[in-house]
Amino acid sequence: MTDRTAQTWDAVVIGSGIGGLVCAAYLAVAGRRVLVAEQSGVAGGNSHVFRRRRDYEFDVGVHYLGDCGPDGLLPAILGGLGLADRIEYRPMDPDAFDRIVVPGATVDVPADWAAYRTRIQRACPAGDAAGIATFLDVVAGLGGERRDAVVAAEDVPMAELPRRAPRSVAWGRRTLAELFAHCALSPRARTLLAAQSPNYGMAPDEATVALHATVTDHYLRGAAYPRGGGQMLAAGLLEVIRAYGGELRTRCRVARIETDGPRARGVVFADGGRARAEVVVSNADYRRTMLDLVGAERLPRRLASKTRDARMALPWAAVYVALDRELDQRANLWWYRDDDIERFYSRLRDGTVHGGTDFLFASFASGKDPDTRRICPPGHANFQLMTLCPPGFEYWGVTAGESYRDSAAYRWRKARLVEDVLDTAEELLGPLRGHITHVEAATPLTHERYTLSSGGTPFGMARWGAPGARPDTATFIEGLYTAGADTRYGNGITGSAVSGIACAGQILGRRLMHEVHTGAVLGDPSLLPDRPDDWDPLDASRGRRGAFA
C-alpha cells in the first residue's frame, strides 16, 4: 500500500488516550479503517508509562481502576474487543484499598457501601450520623442510577426520569457543597467524605453530586490494578486496531480539522500533510479542539464563548520515587494536614497552599503489582507522591509564552516541591532519603507539554457553561466527534473508556456499551498477534513516526 492511498481513511482519531483508543478499536472491529494520530512518541495519554535507569517503570496516570469485577464496565469494554484474556486486573484489598488520614482519624476504605458508611460514622462526631446516612443514601443511589444509564439498552424518556432516576433528578446537577449543607455535616465529615475528590480535581463547591457519586460508586465496587502496569491497556487496544487494518502514527501532530461546509473532511498535520476521512474523532483537549483545531471563528458564538471561558479542573504535580528497599504499602494513601477540606480547596485556589505540605496522595505500584519486574528490581520499591496544585502557571514563576525549562523561578519552585513532598512523605512513611535510588518530578507544565491539556490537568473542564454541563461526544459539525476526559462521561481511565465506546456507538448507531455489558464479544481474539516471551507493552505502543508527505 502506498502512502498516497494510505492518506484516505474511514476515520481519523486525534490523540491516543484511552478514550480515543477505545473509540478507534470499536470502529476498527466494525470494519472501519482507522488512523490514530498521536503528537507524542508513544500511545496511551495519561495511561502511558516511562522508564528510568533500565530498572524502574513509572505509571503516569494509572494508580488504580474501579468496577473491574465480572460485571465491571472496563472489563466489559475491553472484553468486547476480544481482550479479556490479555488484560488482567489484580484486585486491591477489598477491606482497605484506600486509606484516608486526617488529624485524629484514619479510615480504611472498603469495597462495600455498608462497611464504608459504618467506618465514616465512627470517625466523625456522633451528631453527624444521621447526616452521613442521608448523604450516602443519595450518593450510593445516584451512583447506581448513573451506572444503570450507561449500560441501558435505551435512554430513559424524560417523562420517566423522576420515577426511574429520582436521585439524579433531585441532586445530579447540584454541587457537593449543597448536599453537605443539606445534611448539616461537620467539617470533619465533609473532609472524610470528599477526601478522594482529587480523583476528579474539583472542590465541593464546584463538583456536582453526580460526578462525586459516579467516582465513589466506581471504586466501592472494587479497586484493582492492571498486571503489568497502565501501558498494558494502550498496548492491547493497539493490537486490536492493527489487527483490523488500522494504524498508529506518533510524532504526528494535527494542526487543523478540515471541514467542507457543515461536514468534517479530515485533518491537516503540522508538517502540511493531510489525511482525508468522513469521520474525525478528537481525543484531544476539548478547548484546543474547538478553539484551535476547528477555529474559534468557525464556532457558533455561544459555543465559542463558553468554551473560551471554561474553567479547568485543578492540576496535579507528581514526584516519582524509587528505593533500594521494600515498602510494606499497598493501599493508596490520602493524607490531609487539616480536617477542613473546603478551607484547603479555598486556599489552594488562591495560591496560599504550598504543594505537598497540606495534602498528599501516595500510590505504591510495587505493592500493587509485585510480580512485574519492569516496575522495580526485587527488594526495591517504586511509588508516586502526588499533590494538587493551584490553577494557572503563575505559581510556577512562568508567564505565557515563556519556556519554563529555562526559568530559574520554575526550577526553584520545582525543587522546593520535591523537598516539601519528601518531607511530608517521611512524616507518613518514615525515613526515605537514605534509600532513594531515583527521584524526579512532573509539574502541571510537564503534563501540558506532553498531553497538550489546558492548564496541565488530567481531569478536563470543571465548568463549561452551566454547572455540571459537559460536551457530548457528537458536535455541531457533522462527522466530528470528541472523546475523553472533557466529555459528559467523566474522567479517569474508565470514564474515558466509556466516552470512547459511547462515541463509537454514536458513529455506528449502536448501543455498544449495552451489547458488550450483556456479553457480546465483537472483536475476534484469534486475529490478535501472539505475544513472545520478551513482548514489551511500551514497544507495542509506538507507531510509525510522522505524518504523510
Side-chain angles (χ1 to χ4, degrees):
M1 181 181 296
T2 66
D3 278 352
R4 183 172 181 81
T5 59
Q7 292 182 37
T8 298
W9 302 82
D10 295 321
V12 174
V13 176
I14 305 168
S16 66
I18 292 299
L21 291 178
V22 166
C23 181
Y26 272 97
L27 293 178
V29 300
R32 308 291 178 93
R33 289 187 63 252
V34 183
L35 170 68
V36 179
E38 167 57 47
Q39 60 92 29
S40 183
V42 64
N46 286 311
S47 72
H48 88 272
V49 302
F50 65 93
R51 294 173 182 165
R52 293 293 184 262
R53 298 174 180 246
R54 299 184 180 181
D55 280 329
Y56 306 108
E57 179 177 283
F58 295 100
D59 263 305
V60 170
V62 178
H63 306 111
Y64 59 154
L65 308 169
D67 196 8
C68 284
D71 187 47
L73 295 185
L74 190 61
I77 293 169
L78 298 178
L81 294 165
L83 293 170
D85 295 331
R86 294 194 168 219
I87 296 173
E88 180 182 348
Y89 310 93
R90 293 182 62 106
M92 295 176 66
D93 185 352
D95 192 55
F97 61 84
D98 274 350
R99 170 167 287 181
I100 301 168
V101 180
V102 301
T106 297
V107 174
D108 286 335
V109 180
D112 180 86
W113 277 103
Y116 175 63
R117 177 184 305 223
T118 298
R119 293 179 188 184
I120 294 288
Q121 287 177 328
R122 285 177 179 169
C124 293
D128 279 320
I132 290 170
T134 299
F135 179 91
L136 291 179
D137 283 346
V138 170
V139 170
L142 204 160
E145 291 172 2
R146 297 265 294 184
R147 188 179 186 276
D148 288 346
V150 167
V151 301
E154 58 185 8
D155 291 331
V156 177
M158 290 294 292
E160 288 289 302
L161 280 174
R163 180 178 67 83
R164 294 170 60 177
R167 293 179 180 86
S168 298
V169 171
W171 284 102
R173 287 293 185 94
R174 298 172 72 178
T175 68
L176 195 59
E178 290 179 89
L179 183 55
F180 283 156
H182 173 77
C183 297
L185 294 173
S186 68
R188 162 68 61 85
R190 297 177 184 213
T191 300
L192 292 175
L193 289 165
Q196 296 133 303
S197 58
N199 269 325
Y200 48 78
M202 299 177 208
D205 63 357
E206 195 154 49
T208 62
V209 179
L211 175 60
H212 180 79
T214 299
V215 173
T216 304
D217 179 73
H218 172 68
Y219 287 113
L220 285 180
R221 290 177 183 269
Y225 185 80
R227 182 186 291 273
Q231 198 68 49
M232 296 292 293
L233 305 177
L237 290 164
L238 283 165
E239 286 179 322
V240 174
I241 293 165
R242 289 165 171 152
Y244 285 86
E247 185 175 335
L248 167 70
R249 288 268 175 156
T250 52
R251 306 293 183 193
C252 181
R253 185 165 178 171
V254 172
R256 189 173 78 253
I257 294 169
E258 288 196 300
T259 59
D260 179 8
R263 276 207 58 87
R265 294 299 185 190
V267 300
V268 178
F269 299 105
D271 68 355
R274 283 175 161 78
R276 297 184 293 274
E278 294 296 304
V279 170
V280 176
V281 177
S282 180
N283 185 212
D285 176 273
Y286 184 84
R287 294 181 79 248
R288 292 182 188 272
T289 297
M290 289 298 168
L291 300 178
D292 299 337
L293 301 186
V294 174
E297 71 284 356
R298 297 158 68 190
L299 303 183
R301 184 176 302 175
R302 183 180 177 190
L303 175 60
S305 177
K306 72 176 182 178
T307 301
R308 191 180 293 111
D309 295 340
R311 188 159 63 242
M312 306 307 294
L314 291 165
W316 282 96
V319 178
Y320 303 93
V321 185
L323 306 180
D324 64 5
R325 67 173 177 85
E326 293 182 346
L327 276 180
D328 186 21
Q329 298 283 340
R330 288 169 178 78
N332 298 315
L333 180 63
W334 300 86
W335 171 86
Y336 293 84
R337 192 172 296 281
D338 193 1
D339 66 353
D340 187 341
I341 198 167
E342 288 168 304
R343 180 167 60 196
F344 163 74
Y345 274 109
S346 176
R347 294 179 59 213
L348 185 67
R349 289 190 296 213
D350 67 22
T352 58
V353 165
H354 294 294
T357 60
D358 295 85
F359 159 71
L360 197 68
F361 170 75
S363 173
F364 305 94
S366 53
K368 296 171 189 174
D369 189 10
D371 302 327
T372 298
R373 293 277 69 88
R374 292 189 306 270
I375 290 178
C376 65
H380 288 223
N382 170 328
F383 59 101
Q384 292 181 38
L385 304 168
M386 302 178 66
T387 190
L388 287 175
C389 301
F393 293 159
E394 295 81 5
Y395 176 80
W396 301 96
V398 177
T399 57
E402 181 182 2
S403 174
Y404 70 88
R405 289 178 291 180
D406 296 332
S407 167
Y410 171 78
R411 293 196 300 272
W412 177 86
R413 174 65 75 184
K414 184 176 178 180
R416 178 176 174 180
L417 168 81
V418 172
E419 293 306 310
D420 287 345
V421 164
L422 290 176
D423 285 344
T424 301
E426 290 191 316
E427 286 185 50
L428 305 174
L429 304 173
L432 300 172
R433 282 181 168 89
H435 294 276
I436 291 176
T437 55
H438 183 80
V439 62
E440 69 179 281
T443 71
L445 286 85
T446 316
H447 192 93
E448 183 179 67
R449 175 176 159 228
Y450 279 100
T451 68
L452 301 182
S453 61
S454 295
T457 178
F459 304 119
M461 297 181 292
R463 189 179 183 95
W464 184 67
R470 280 186 163 210
D472 192 10
T473 54
T475 74
F476 75 99
I477 297 174
E478 188 179 355
L480 175 61
Y481 300 82
T482 65
D486 283 300
T487 67
R488 66 186 182 91
Y489 296 96
N491 47 47
I493 296 298
T494 300
S496 294
V498 171
S499 80
I501 192 171
C503 184
Q506 277 195 318
I507 295 166
L508 299 171
R510 297 168 63 177
R511 299 286 291 202
L512 292 173
M513 189 70 241
H514 173 73
E515 291 182 44
V516 300
H517 193 255
T518 53
V521 179
L522 308 180
D524 183 352
S526 70
L527 297 179
L528 302 181
D530 292 333
R531 292 177 175 176
D533 291 341
D534 61 351
W535 181 81
D536 184 343
L538 190 58
D539 285 345
S541 300
R542 303 187 192 279
R544 295 177 63 188
R545 292 173 62 94
F548 301 100

